[in-house]
Amino acid sequence: MKFSEQWLREYVDPPLSTQELVDQLTMAGLEVDGFEPVAAKFSDVIVGEILSVEQHPDADKLVVCTVSNGEEALQVVCGAPNARAGIKVPFAQVGATFPDLKIKKARLRGVESNGMLCSERELGISDSHEGLMELPADAPVGTNIIEYLHLQDAVIDLDLTPNRSDCLSMIGLARETGLMNGMDVKPFAGQPIEPTIEDSFPVELVSADGCPRFVGRVIRDIDQDAVSPLWMKEKLRRAGLRSIDPVVDVTNYVMLELGQPLHAYDLAKLTGKIMVRFSAQGEKLTLLDGSEVETHADTLLITDESGPIGLAGVMGGLSTSVTAGTRDIFLEGAYFAPTAIAGRARSYGMSTDAAHRFERGVDWEGQVRAIERATELLLAIAGGQPGPTIETVDSHELPTEQTVELRASRITRMLGIEIDPVMVGDILSRLGFHAMEMEEDDELTWEVSAPSHRFDIQIEADLVEEISRVYGYNNLPVRTPETRLSMAPRSETQLSLNRLKDQLVARGYFEAVTYSFVDAGLQGTLDPAQEPISLANPLSSEMSVMRTTIWAGLLNSLIYNVNRQQPRVRLFESGLCFSQLPNQAALQFDNISQVKKLAGVSCGARQGENWANDTQAIDFYDIKGDVESLLALTGDPAAFSFAAESHSALHPGQSAAIKKDGEVVGWLGRLDPRIQQTLDIRHPIYLFELNIDSVITKKVAQHAAMSRFPEVRRDIAVIVDESVSASALFSCIEEAADDTLQNLKLFDVYQGKGIDPNRKSLALGLTFQHHSRTLTDDEINSTMESIVSSLVASFGASLRN
């Protein structure tokens, strides 16, 4: 929220500089993002009046103006399209200075010019430079423009937490400033306006749980041609709002002043009666900005007999909007329950000042005051005849006053300091809380009731927070917490996630952290078998469902890096993945499956660029090696196996399921080229994903004495069909061999000359050793014969000579 410092000081003016005021607001819990002056630094600019305008003799786009400075008439050459006799404008005289300019007497295309007529951009007020800044007709000629426009001001930008929506108004900020400085706040203007006509418009609260209070007033015969006063325009501009017409300006002004959004309808366009109700699915409504929306089933609507005429608490409809020809209006000030408005604007891709306030909560007793204040201002600007203020209310659905017990001992315990009870009572009183002090079980307590604008006060901790910030966070003691800590036992049979991360980092990966919310299209492409959970109020269409695989976020991160000249990328991430359990009638928390996963993506060269390294790109076996290094940390890598199986996101010929005890616990492989083409990625991408719970079980190492007897190694080369995997051969050999086989490795694969094109040669090294004696050649030969026989029987293998 942006606001004018001068506007705040109209109600409470503490003896503080702008910087001191900003610091004080921040320490009070109202964080200030920044502040800036409302205009550029300049001098010798006054209110000037154009007396006459003549065409420049040598330039079609220039005119020669005669300008009065209150003492004399001066000739000024100007190129603004709106320069005309009779208007008053900012006039920079000769000698005036701007941040990058000093005004001098000059000749423009042969005509003398004695100064410059200014637009808003020259003054640094805004970026508008389409024409001269026109001042009101009653602006006193010769007055310093800084004094006239009150430009010795700053715009302060607040970033409020959602619980402090009471400060989304000048009255709220003034209360806070007066509270922190022990000063009284000047009463806000606004007196009840007596009706001069009896006209009213009927209202029905069909959905009172969403709108328990609706205040309305008919005002007839307003003058929409009237001009909002300069002081109102400037306050709106400094709050980031532009002046439109008297009705819109007044409703915006009251919203900023009192925090209550208002809306005005063209009375002639309303039919029947106004009804506030929740929408049905698919109702259509054209809004003030011209956009057409189709409603969801839980949207609060303002309707009349013609249908929807506004999204309650968000934006009004175009069909009943106030226009230049409007003469009679119906003014609305309602209290909408925050739960009925929260997220609705975002679900339609909108963000409005009204929704920002209503979804956080407004003062549920402030609607009548806002209507009366708006009536007062509108009558003063545009005239008119007001009807009675009609309040339609369902008292059973209105919020109730909260009473919270505050204990002195609790204050001491939470803040670490004992605050004088007199000071506590004074703070509560200055906050506007009604507090009754009492003794209960020899303990001092207060029964505290918060005013209607402080609906965030719900529990005792809220009151302690209020006392601490008013007392001053800087005044609270700084102490080191004291506690008795004991080291938690750590099981040796559990592998920590950090150890897995360290292993990946050691292999050249970088950890990434991505959102759990991903694009529904990409999610469906990568994991169509799982049913993702859709978000009711997504931040954007690219974050509309919860991930069932971490690959969705990692691929986006990889693409981001590749598009920024990073050809070699290795990323990993750990986190939860979410999916709906099958065959469930409705989505409930208990029906959501949450699985911890560890995933990685990789592309580019096998090694980093270096004069000693080759530039060969990674392949399937590189990513498989990375996964095998993780599985080796479990101490039992043999418990895991890789099976050639297909996955919807992976290349049909380069994908594998990772299994443990026959159950799939992960996947690895190359990204499907069709998905790669859709994502517009040039480099092949390799991925893996593991269920963390399946790989953190660790086998504890057991001590075994080393054999003192020699090892014997035998190498064989077997020719098998091309489809036979090395792991299948390993399993066959291990079953056929006895316990003297200590090591088995594949050290060569050959296909080519001398080998059938449909077969391949695998060279295997077998190491034998007995723990208590030296093996004989006969024993080893016997084992080798069993192994070869088993290979021949199982795979039709033949020994290669």
Side-chain angles (χ1 to χ4, degrees):
M1 172 187 171
K2 294 183 176 180
F3 67 94
S4 160
E5 179 186 356
Q6 280 191 358
W7 193 3
L8 174 62
R9 291 184 183 274
E10 290 178 12
Y11 299 107
V12 57
D13 189 9
L16 303 173
S17 66
T18 302
Q19 183 64 59
E20 291 170 336
L21 177 61
V22 163
D23 292 342
Q24 187 181 76
L25 289 173
T26 298
M27 290 308 298
L30 312 179
E31 182 180 354
V32 176
D33 272 351
F35 65 93
E36 60 183 2
V38 298
K41 189 176 182 180
F42 57 82
S43 64
D44 293 329
V45 180
I46 63 170
V47 177
E49 181 178 7
I50 301 179
L51 302 178
S52 64
V53 177
E54 298 179 359
Q55 183 62 46
H56 193 290
D58 292 327
D60 294 337
K61 294 185 179 181
L62 296 178
V63 293
V64 181
C65 303
T66 302
V67 182
S68 171
N69 65 2
E71 296 179 356
E72 58 179 327
L74 300 169
Q75 180 175 280
V76 180
V77 178
C78 177
N82 64 331
R84 63 188 186 277
I87 66 171
K88 295 179 180 179
V89 296
F91 175 32
Q93 304 181 96
V94 173
T97 59
F98 292 87
D100 54 357
L101 178 66
K102 183 174 182 179
I103 304 300
K104 301 177 181 178
K105 185 182 291 187
R107 298 185 70 84
L108 299 178
R109 302 291 292 271
V111 177
E112 184 178 277
S113 180
N114 298 285
M116 179 178 71
L117 304 181
C118 303
S119 68
E120 292 184 2
R121 187 167 72 173
E122 274 88 39
L123 300 181
I125 293 176
S126 74
D127 292 330
S128 175
H129 62 286
E130 291 79 12
L132 300 176
M133 180 181 180
E134 297 189 28
L135 302 174
D138 60 354
V141 177
T143 301
N144 188 302
I145 200 72
I146 294 177
E147 297 176 1
Y148 179 69
L149 294 178
H150 303 288
L151 297 181
Q152 292 175 326
D153 190 12
V155 173
I156 300 175
D157 189 3
L158 284 180
D159 184 14
L160 297 173
T161 53
N163 65 312
R164 291 310 308 272
S165 61
D166 60 298
C167 291
L168 287 170
S169 65
M170 296 310 300
I171 187 172
L173 290 172
R175 277 193 298 255
E176 287 294 306
T177 305
L179 169 69
M180 303 308 296
N181 292 280
M183 301 176 67
D184 294 331
V185 178
K186 178 183 175 182
F188 274 68
Q191 298 295 328
I193 302 299
E194 293 297 324
T196 58
I197 59 175
E198 296 301 321
D199 296 8
S200 62
F201 196 82
V203 175
E204 180 183 355
L205 303 180
V206 178
S207 300
D209 54 333
C211 176
R213 173 174 280 144
F214 191 107
V215 179
R217 186 172 216 165
V218 171
I219 304 178
R220 293 191 179 274
D221 301 327
I222 64 168
D223 180 11
Q224 272 288 73
D225 295 326
V227 178
S228 299
L230 180 64
W231 60 265
M232 179 177 287
K233 289 181 177 180
E234 278 298 295
K235 287 178 177 177
L236 293 175
R237 182 185 65 79
R238 296 173 195 186
L241 302 175
R242 63 185 181 91
S243 174
I244 298 176
D245 60 49
V247 173
V248 175
D249 289 354
V250 165
T251 55
N252 282 337
Y253 181 88
V254 172
M255 178 185 69
L256 294 174
E257 184 181 53
L258 302 180
Q260 172 65 48
L262 302 176
H263 184 67
Y265 303 89
D266 187 325
L267 184 63
K269 299 175 182 177
L270 293 174
T271 58
K273 64 180 178 180
I274 282 181
M275 293 172 287
V276 186
R277 61 172 174 82
F278 282 104
S279 65
Q281 181 73 32
E283 294 188 72
K284 293 185 177 180
L285 168 65
T286 302
L287 300 173
L288 285 173
D289 60 2
S291 63
E292 184 174 298
V293 298
E294 190 170 312
T295 63
H296 312 313
D298 59 347
T299 302
L300 195 63
L301 294 178
I302 308 296
T303 68
D304 65 3
E305 290 187 357
S306 67
I309 58 174
L311 289 179
V314 179
M315 186 180 292
L318 188 63
S319 63
T320 57
S321 63
V322 174
T323 63
T326 299
R327 291 294 174 264
D328 305 326
I329 66 170
F330 178 68
L331 203 58
E332 165 213 305
Y335 172 74
F336 300 114
T339 53
I341 307 300
R344 301 308 190 276
R346 192 163 57 252
S347 69
Y348 293 103
M350 295 187 294
S351 176
T352 65
D353 289 327
H356 184 73
R357 287 164 171 80
F358 279 126
E359 66 185 6
R360 285 160 174 77
V362 300
D363 185 350
W364 51 275
E365 291 185 342
Q367 289 69 48
V368 172
R369 177 178 58 177
I371 289 290
E372 296 291 353
R373 176 61 169 154
T375 304
E376 177 187 13
L377 292 170
L378 194 56
L379 296 183
I381 298 170
Q385 301 179 62
T389 299
I390 304 299
E391 181 178 8
T392 306
V393 62
D394 185 334
S395 57
H396 298 292
E397 297 292 345
L398 282 173
T400 57
E401 187 179 82
Q402 293 285 338
T403 300
V404 181
E405 182 182 77
L406 175 63
R407 295 164 290 175
S409 60
R410 190 66 172 174
I411 299 174
T412 303
R413 180 180 176 185
M414 295 185 70
L415 302 184
I417 186 174
E418 187 172 341
I419 300 178
D420 188 343
V422 176
M423 179 177 288
V424 172
D426 179 61
I427 290 174
L428 294 173
S429 176
R430 287 159 57 195
L431 283 165
F433 297 173
H434 175 70
M436 180 182 298
E437 184 178 325
M438 61 184 66
E439 289 278 347
E440 185 175 320
D441 297 330
D442 296 327
E443 182 176 13
L444 182 60
T445 63
W446 291 266
E447 291 287 339
V448 182
S449 299
S452 58
H453 64 268
R454 289 305 306 272
F455 40 81
D456 59 306
I457 304 299
Q458 300 290 328
I459 59 176
E460 187 177 26
D462 296 330
L463 292 173
V464 176
E465 179 188 3
E466 291 298 300
I467 291 170
S468 64
R469 70 183 188 86
V470 177
Y471 183 79
Y473 293 128
N474 290 337
N475 297 323
L476 296 177
V478 178
R479 297 176 181 171
T480 303
E482 295 181 3
T483 186
R484 294 182 179 181
L485 301 178
S486 59
M487 294 184 65
R490 182 174 176 180
S491 173
E492 293 186 7
T493 61
Q494 292 292 315
L495 186 65
S496 72
L497 178 59
N498 284 338
R499 181 65 187 92
L500 296 172
K501 291 181 178 181
D502 290 343
Q503 179 68 11
L504 288 171
V505 170
R507 297 183 71 87
Y509 284 78
F510 291 88
E511 184 172 11
V513 179
T514 65
Y515 286 106
S516 298
F517 311 138
V518 296
D519 179 69
L522 179 58
Q523 172 65 59
T525 301
L526 295 174
D527 192 10
Q530 296 277 7
E531 181 67 26
I533 299 170
S534 299
L535 301 181
N537 299 304
L539 296 173
S540 68
S541 59
E542 291 79 20
M543 304 175 73
S544 58
V545 298
M546 301 188 76
R547 67 187 181 192
T548 63
T549 171
I550 300 178
W551 287 344
L554 283 179
L555 282 173
N556 283 327
S557 296
L558 182 141
I559 294 169
Y560 184 89
N561 282 274
V562 169
N563 290 342
R564 283 156 182 80
Q565 294 79 48
Q566 299 295 321
R568 184 176 185 269
V569 180
R570 281 160 172 72
L571 299 172
F572 77 90
E573 180 179 4
S574 62
L576 289 172
C577 291
F578 310 86
S579 61
Q580 300 184 39
L581 296 177
N583 303 320
Q584 300 295 327
L587 179 64
Q588 297 178 349
F589 184 79
D590 293 338
N591 299 336
I592 298 175
S593 171
Q594 303 182 64
V595 181
K596 296 178 183 178
K597 293 186 179 183
L598 174 65
V601 294
S602 180
C603 75
R606 177 173 291 134
Q607 296 176 305
E609 186 175 9
N610 185 277
W611 65 271
N613 296 339
D614 60 38
T615 58
Q616 187 174 2
I618 64 169
D619 58 23
F620 175 87
Y621 295 102
D622 291 299
I623 195 94
K624 181 172 180 284
D626 294 333
V627 173
E628 286 176 331
S629 74
L630 293 176
L631 301 181
L633 297 176
T634 65
D636 189 19
F640 298 88
S641 62
F642 297 88
E645 296 185 11
S646 61
H647 186 285
S648 57
L650 301 177
H651 191 295
Q654 298 187 48
S655 65
I658 305 168
K659 296 185 176 182
K660 182 179 182 182
D661 299 329
E663 180 184 353
V664 175
V665 297
W667 289 91
L668 68 89
R670 177 179 170 180
L671 183 67
D672 191 306
R674 292 166 294 185
I675 301 176
Q676 179 181 327
Q677 184 177 8
T678 302
L679 297 176
D680 193 23
I681 307 172
R682 299 189 304 274
H683 309 284
I685 297 174
Y686 294 89
L687 315 93
F688 72 84
E689 189 168 63
L690 295 166
N691 291 349
I692 292 177
D693 290 340
S694 300
V695 298
I696 61 173
T697 302
K698 181 180 179 182
K699 182 178 180 180
V700 179
Q702 300 291 328
H703 166 74
M706 293 182 63
S707 175
R708 297 183 292 107
F709 297 94
E711 294 179 344
V712 178
R713 171 164 168 156
R714 295 288 178 88
D715 293 344
I716 60 171
V718 295
I719 299 174
V720 294
D721 289 342
E722 188 178 14
S723 60
V724 176
S725 66
S727 62
L729 291 180
F730 278 32
S731 297
C732 181
I733 292 172
E734 288 168 351
E735 288 180 8
D738 56 22
D739 59 0
T740 61
L741 179 64
Q742 300 298 313
N743 192 14
L744 174 61
K745 64 176 60 177
L746 172 70
F747 63 85
D748 185 50
V749 178
Y750 174 75
Q751 284 181 286
K753 186 177 180 180
I755 303 292
D756 187 317
N758 296 320
R759 291 169 74 82
K760 61 185 176 182
S761 171
L762 302 179
L764 305 169
L766 297 84
T767 303
F768 299 90
Q769 186 182 38
H770 199 282
H771 68 280
S772 62
R773 61 185 174 83
T774 301
L775 293 171
T776 66
D777 285 344
D778 291 340
E779 289 175 318
I780 296 173
N781 290 337
S782 175
T783 303
M784 290 297 297
E785 288 175 2
S786 298
I787 290 172
V788 171
S789 298
S790 181
L791 291 175
V792 171
S794 299
F795 305 107
S798 62
L799 290 177
R800 180 184 173 196
N801 296 325

